[in-house]
Amino acid sequence: MTTKEHILAALEDARIGLENLMRDDAALAAIGEAARLMAETIRGGGTVWSCGNGGSLCDAMHFAEEMTGRFRSDRKPYAACAIADASHLACVGNDYGYEHVFSRWIEAHGRKGDVLLAITTSGTSKNVLRAVEAARAKGVRVVGLTGRPGSAITDIADVSIVTPAGRWADRVQELHIKCIHIMIELIERELDPQNYAGE
């Protein structure tokens, strides 16, 4: 294959994943329910926490900065925070083990009525699953964002968004960022509908 053919093949693979998501009624409903939970939390004075590993941590951070900054138009900031503090991650990873880096944060900061956006492409990341368990123990609702149906996180999250992108993590993450942007838009439509009044 030529370089151009490899590029086109990658784009075709991504297109198939997106079309699969567009036809997945369960995933679409879960995206809407996740956004509703998050909007409800923010309206009630709660916080949306987010976590993940590697690229999923970058997605968690991107979600939080779009919430506290802005998405498309100016509006008030929304209470959101990615569990990404380097000193916390290093301290807890050293003292307790990396499996505890997210759960310790939720134990310290999570409050009943908050939401945790737990991102794991495999659905089996031990530190993310521990965070989910800690969240549920504190009355923090959980949105699981994964790419694997029937994985551990889908059994314990309040809302599970499973993106049908296939076996590669990069394709899963491509759909995850689309889900994240859609959730933010839906939250804005709920909390700041004036931003969409001119449609």
Side-chain angles (χ1 to χ4, degrees):
M1 290 176 68
T2 66
T3 299
K4 181 179 178 180
E5 287 171 335
H6 281 295
I7 293 168
L8 288 172
L11 291 171
E12 174 66 11
D13 197 34
R15 183 185 65 79
I16 291 168
L18 181 58
E19 288 181 350
N20 287 340
L21 177 60
M22 292 171 68
R23 289 192 294 265
D24 191 327
D25 289 338
L28 300 180
I31 293 168
E33 177 61 11
R36 187 196 66 77
L37 283 179
M38 292 173 185
E40 180 181 275
T41 288
I42 294 162
R43 185 183 287 113
T47 300
V48 182
W49 308 99
S50 54
C51 68
N53 294 296
S56 294
L57 179 56
C58 296
D59 286 345
M61 294 169 67
H62 181 68
F63 168 81
E65 55 90 359
E66 296 273 31
M67 295 281 280
T68 58
R70 74 175 208 173
F71 183 51
R72 292 177 177 168
S73 301
D74 288 332
R75 42 87 170 149
K76 62 184 176 293
Y78 301 147
C81 181
I83 306 173
D85 182 280
S87 61
H88 167 83
L89 297 177
C91 170
V92 174
N94 183 65
D95 293 348
Y96 295 95
Y98 193 64
E99 291 180 16
H100 301 272
V101 293
F102 301 135
S103 58
R104 293 284 293 185
W105 184 278
I106 291 297
E107 288 168 5
H109 299 288
R111 300 292 179 264
K112 184 176 182 179
D114 288 351
V115 172
L116 171 66
L117 174 59
I119 309 173
T120 164
T121 59
S122 68
T124 60
S125 301
K126 291 180 181 179
N127 56 359
V128 175
L129 294 176
R130 281 186 179 271
V132 172
E133 292 167 357
R136 294 184 67 85
K138 297 206 70 173
V140 174
R141 293 171 294 184
V142 176
V143 173
L145 182 55
T146 186
R148 300 290 178 265
S151 58
I153 198 167
T154 63
D155 293 331
I156 57 175
D158 296 286
V159 179
S160 293
I161 303 168
V162 183
T163 57
R167 62 192 180 116
W168 301 113
D170 55 309
R171 292 287 173 257
V172 172
Q173 289 170 337
E174 288 166 6
L175 291 186
H176 281 184
I177 198 62
K178 288 175 173 52
C179 292
I180 285 168
H181 283 154
I182 293 167
M183 285 189 287
I184 295 166
E185 179 182 340
L186 293 175
I187 292 165
E188 281 194 347
R189 287 179 179 276
E190 179 72 21
L191 299 180
D192 286 283
Q194 73 279 357
N195 281 9
Y196 299 90
E199 292 182 333

